[in-house]
Amino acid sequence: MTTEIESVLVENRVFPPFANLVKDANISGMEGYRALCDEAERSPLEFWGRLARENLVWDKPFATVLDESQAPFYKWFADGEMNVSANCLDRHLNTPTANKTAIIFEADDGQVEHVSYKQLHARVCEFANGIKALGYKAGQRAVIYMPMSVEAVVAMQACARLGIIHSVVFGGFSSKSLHERIVDVGAVLVITADEQVRGGKKIPLKPAVDEALTMGSCEAVSHVIVYRRTGGKVAWQEGRDLWMHDVTAKQPSTCAPVSLSGEHPLFILYTSGSTGKPKGVQHATAGFLLWSLLTMKWTFDAKDSDVYWCTADVGWVTGHTYVAYGPLAAGVTQVVFEGTPTYPDVGRFWDMIERHKVSVFYTAPTAIRSLTKAAEAAPQFHPREYDLSSLRILGSVGEPINPEAWMWYYTHVGREHCPVLDTWWQTETGAHMISPLPGVTPLKPGSCTLPLPGIAAAVVDEAGDDVERGTGGFLVMKRPWPAMVRTIWGDPERFKKSYFPPELKGYYLAGDGAQRDTDGYFWIMGRIDDVLNVSGHRLGTMEVESALVSHELVAEAAVVGRPDATTGEAIVAFVVLKRSLPEGAEAKAIAKQLRDWVSKEIGPIAKPKDIRFGENLPKTRSGKIMRRLLRVVAKGEKVTQDVSTLENPQILDQLSQSV
Ligand code: 6R9
């Protein structure tokens, strides 16, 4: 294996597209790709206008494709009217797709439920009617805090049907994070479940909602709707709490979708920024759905016969675009999985691909890396032990996929006949931006290859000028695109500052470093700001630091990322306590206490892997924490950089000691 990988790096091996895919793909061959790119280049507005007319169902056609008058607050298809849920469900009702399975739901314990498009439409309508009957309407905000389930998709779709703006909060987040988001969006409704089930364990959800709603400033929330997943015991507030099945009971199974402006906000999803609290990334109706659907057709080459499976949770953007919306708009059959890849054993993913005959599989590098390790330890669960012949396309998202993981995925899961599509995109971009296309792009392990048609990606320097091939710089988008973030909810100034800094000529700044090779291929080099990427999830160093400092024992904390073989990055926290420096068992006990604290404050994914105690932190004379040095210390390397501006260089030795 290792020699294979070295040869990939040394020879820069290229995997040309498979002939069968070139022949049948929705975008066929490099000529097909170039033709679309040229069309977009000639007239971006005609290009997007054509695609929006051809791919979406409009209640009222748009006259204006793009309104740039208030750039960077771009408006797309604003004078047109449509409904996202109608575009995902109703459009299939009078077609053969109506009776096709929309969702194959597999529960943690292996129970399987098939829901057809017709049935899903009815369930969405019943729930939409139920929340409408409670008085909720377009423009209001609902927070969804649910496990992976048909019901979560139903809740999102029902909101979209009524124009209620949803904000999904990942079920792994704590009551405190949930509270912050409820307050920030000004939620009037919370939709949750009694418990979630993962890896054979029941994990309560409703208590976190109850707790969040006691933390203040949540008076606007008048109902909590609870999906009964396990029947576990929950506290109940009469008048406020309602069972989902009671809300839908006796409701008609049709509900007229509300016609909304193409710019009507569809959802708000929180993601980490470099400073301050998480950003409420707001997306809009038409542009988001258009790009979700087109990338399903282009990147995943969605076909009527596909069984598609994206393993992402609906709590992340991938679960929005590629579970709750894109696949439904495309009319494919998709797998929705409640559980974890390692339960009841580490072959769960491969077993599910075999049983459901999955043809398009989309997951994260962190899952691939941990399953690689697991398969080596337990060869009976190695993917080679399963019939994976249904697979035709593999995708990866969330962080750079290192060539070693790429090769394993390609060789053992794809059996050398499926392209591995390394899709680069962000919460803010709405859908794929830079990605290989299965019938077009020669693959290079470790590169997300080329921008999709219509996407003006580039690598520039501090002045916004293109850098030479082979030189690193900032990844930017030179032109707006329909699925772009519209604003940061409640903070338009921060939106402008974060994404459209004046020195970059009005380009969208992605926050990633990148370089292009001589073929024009993009290689992503990671975040340029203080944002961590743990198992493909974005976390701000500030968020973790704030959580640590809010603990009574902690005076000061600095957090950095360290490369980790499984999770991509691991969190290392440098902590100054209010008391004397602890040692031995006591240090261990405090470290554990702090880890649990962060887990409670933010969620288990934010738990520092490593905590180091010191009497101080390395600071410049102007008092800035020198994270650059802490990153070196975190990796266990010797600091060779110039430390002359450091106020207290000896502190680095102390901080090198693991607890
Ligand atoms: C979809 C999603 C976005 C950040 C992004 C980048 C990293 C995502 C990547 C990738 C290299 C890929 N990232 N996909 N880096 N190659 N294929 O993950 O959204 O949670 O907002 O994270 O993730 O750093 O800027 P989000």
Side-chain angles (χ1 to χ4, degrees):
M1 202 63 218
T2 330
T3 48
E4 218 174 307
I5 286 140
E6 275 170 7
S7 74
V8 169
L9 289 176
V10 174
E11 300 166 21
N12 202 4
R13 260 174 70 179
V14 177
F15 298 79
F18 298 102
N20 60 324
L21 285 171
V22 178
K23 193 166 135 283
D24 299 327
N26 295 336
I27 300 184
S28 171
M30 199 46 100
E31 321 75 61
Y33 167 74
R34 291 263 181 254
L36 281 165
C37 293
D38 291 347
E39 183 192 345
E41 205 59 45
R42 272 195 310 275
S43 169
L45 299 192
E46 278 173 39
F47 171 79
W48 292 118
R50 174 180 75 78
L51 291 167
R53 271 186 291 272
E54 288 174 4
N55 288 278
L56 299 179
V57 184
W58 294 89
D59 300 328
K60 176 177 164 245
F62 55 88
T64 309
V65 172
L66 173 65
D67 172 359
E68 301 186 82
S69 60
Q70 283 153 56
F73 299 94
Y74 295 97
K75 295 193 178 80
W76 291 87
F77 318 110
D79 58 2
E81 286 181 12
M82 59 163 278
N83 181 281
V84 163
S85 168
N87 268 273
C88 291
L89 301 168
D90 306 44
R91 75 186 307 161
H92 304 304
L93 290 184
N94 295 315
T95 75
T97 308
N99 290 314
K100 173 177 167 174
T101 299
I103 295 178
I104 304 173
F105 174 71
E106 180 157 321
D108 187 68
D109 67 2
Q111 272 196 48
V112 175
E113 178 192 0
H114 285 246
V115 183
S116 72
Y117 271 91
K118 215 156 91 187
Q119 291 165 332
L120 186 62
H121 173 264
R123 283 168 74 166
V124 169
C125 286
E126 285 160 11
F127 190 52
N129 282 325
I131 47 183
K132 198 161 79 179
L134 291 170
Y136 295 107
K137 52 179 194 298
Q140 292 183 312
R141 275 83 61 204
V143 161
I144 298 178
Y145 186 65
M146 293 177 87
M148 280 303 277
S149 52
V150 176
E151 284 70 13
V153 176
V154 166
M156 293 165 82
Q157 285 281 341
C159 286
R161 201 163 184 88
L162 300 177
I164 295 170
I165 306 160
H166 63 64
S167 186
V168 181
V169 177
F170 175 57
F173 277 134
S174 67
S175 55
K176 180 120 184 296
S177 305
L178 179 61
H179 172 254
E180 256 173 44
R181 287 154 175 78
I182 291 173
V183 174
D184 198 70
V185 293
V188 291
L189 171 66
V190 178
I191 308 169
T192 187
D194 50 0
E195 299 180 312
Q196 58 178 332
V197 189
R198 285 172 65 76
K201 288 198 219 52
K202 292 179 185 165
I203 309 152
L205 284 175
K206 170 82 167 34
V209 176
D210 292 336
E211 204 175 309
L213 293 181
T214 62
M215 292 177 175
S217 312
C218 300
E219 296 74 25
V221 176
S222 29
H223 291 105
V224 175
I225 300 179
V226 187
Y227 158 49
R228 184 145 74 195
R229 168 63 189 92
T230 62
K233 219 170 132 44
V234 288
W236 206 254
Q237 191 170 314
E238 280 310 326
R240 185 197 71 181
D241 299 350
L242 299 165
W243 288 112
M244 193 172 186
H245 55 261
D246 289 335
V247 171
T248 53
K250 301 202 194 77
Q251 290 295 343
S253 58
T254 57
C255 168
V258 178
S259 283
L260 299 161
S261 153
E263 268 301 304
H264 184 78
L266 177 64
F267 66 82
I268 300 158
L269 183 61
Y270 285 83
T271 191
S272 297
S274 52
T275 49
K277 57 178 192 179
K279 304 188 263 200
V281 170
Q282 188 229 299
H283 279 286
T285 293
F288 173 81
L289 194 71
L290 174 64
W291 203 216
S292 305
L293 173 55
L294 282 173
T295 51
M296 281 298 299
K297 291 184 182 177
W298 291 356
T299 316
F300 292 135
D301 192 39
K303 294 278 162 60
D304 195 40
S305 52
D306 274 319
V307 178
Y308 160 96
W309 181 17
C310 164
T311 65
D313 191 283
V314 289
W316 309 108
V317 73
T318 310
H320 282 60
T321 314
Y322 297 108
V323 178
Y325 293 110
L328 298 177
V332 297
T333 294
Q334 72 168 320
V335 175
V336 171
F337 177 43
E338 178 179 45
T340 67
T342 51
Y343 178 83
D345 54 59
V346 297
R348 182 70 181 261
F349 274 6
W350 323 130
D351 178 49
M352 282 180 64
I353 292 171
E354 175 176 327
R355 278 188 291 111
H356 300 304
K357 303 204 166 30
V358 172
S359 56
V360 179
F361 181 63
Y362 192 31
T363 196
T366 182
I368 299 299
R369 287 191 298 261
S370 63
L371 292 174
T372 305
K373 250 196 338 208
E376 270 152 31
Q380 70 274 33
F381 301 120
H382 193 281
R384 76 168 90 82
E385 301 299 321
Y386 300 80
D387 177 4
L388 304 182
S389 56
S390 55
L391 285 171
R392 63 184 199 99
I393 288 169
L394 301 175
S396 164
V397 62
E399 52 181 315
I401 177 161
N402 41 309
E404 189 171 335
W406 194 103
M407 282 305 300
W408 190 86
Y409 198 21
Y410 180 81
T411 310
H412 299 295
V413 183
R415 311 276 161 84
E416 301 182 9
H417 72 253
C418 302
V420 171
L421 311 175
D422 179 1
T423 63
W424 179 90
W425 61 295
Q426 312 174 285
T427 304
E428 294 88 342
T429 69
H432 300 159
M433 298 293 277
I434 309 177
S435 171
L437 299 176
V440 173
T441 325
L443 306 171
K444 297 183 190 178
S447 168
C448 53
T449 75
L450 299 169
L452 297 185
I455 299 304
V459 181
V460 301
D461 62 19
E462 287 93 344
D465 295 320
D466 284 14
V467 298
E468 297 202 356
R469 296 278 162 94
T471 310
F474 302 117
L475 178 61
V476 297
M477 305 299 144
K478 292 189 170 179
R479 278 199 313 265
W481 66 102
M484 65 195 298
V485 47
R486 293 305 194 268
T487 189
I488 292 175
W489 188 257
D491 201 346
E493 276 312 308
R494 191 170 173 209
F495 168 79
K496 275 204 277 195
K497 235 174 76 191
S498 313
Y499 303 120
F500 296 92
E503 59 279 15
L504 289 186
K505 303 181 176 173
Y507 301 158
Y508 167 83
L509 176 68
D512 280 5
Q515 63 176 55
R516 301 182 76 171
D517 65 17
T518 45
D519 294 324
Y521 276 38
F522 285 76
W523 298 77
I524 305 294
M525 291 154 24
R527 301 288 305 179
I528 51 175
D529 51 23
D530 287 328
V531 172
L532 306 161
N533 190 328
V534 182
S535 299
H537 301 313
R538 265 162 78 178
L539 283 169
T541 49
M542 264 295 291
E543 284 168 77
V544 185
E545 285 166 7
S546 308
L548 282 166
V549 173
S550 70
H551 189 278
E552 56 180 10
L553 289 177
V554 177
E556 213 177 1
V559 159
V560 298
R562 171 181 73 199
D564 185 273
T566 307
T567 55
E569 246 182 331
I571 299 175
V572 182
F574 297 91
V575 175
V576 181
L577 296 175
K578 288 177 183 158
R579 44 153 285 170
S580 59
L581 205 61
E583 280 177 8
E586 197 186 12
K588 276 204 174 67
I590 297 176
K592 177 172 184 311
Q593 213 181 326
L594 295 181
R595 249 184 240 120
D596 293 344
W597 173 261
V598 173
S599 175
K600 198 170 148 283
E601 289 285 293
I602 306 174
I605 50 165
K607 255 189 197 186
K609 185 157 186 178
D610 194 354
I611 291 188
R612 314 276 179 89
F613 296 109
E615 276 154 346
N616 212 331
L617 295 172
K619 288 184 189 157
T620 62
R621 281 163 219 270
S622 63
K624 284 205 177 62
I625 296 173
M626 295 189 72
R627 288 201 175 69
R628 165 174 75 80
L629 296 182
L630 288 177
R631 275 191 277 270
V632 177
V633 175
K635 278 193 268 188
E637 289 169 6
K638 260 232 102 48
V639 174
T640 52
Q641 283 114 318
D642 179 16
V643 291
S644 56
T645 54
L646 209 60
E647 197 192 3
N648 45 356
Q650 73 290 350
I651 209 72
L652 291 175
D653 292 331
Q654 204 172 56
L655 292 170
S656 313
Q657 312 298 319
S658 278
V659 171

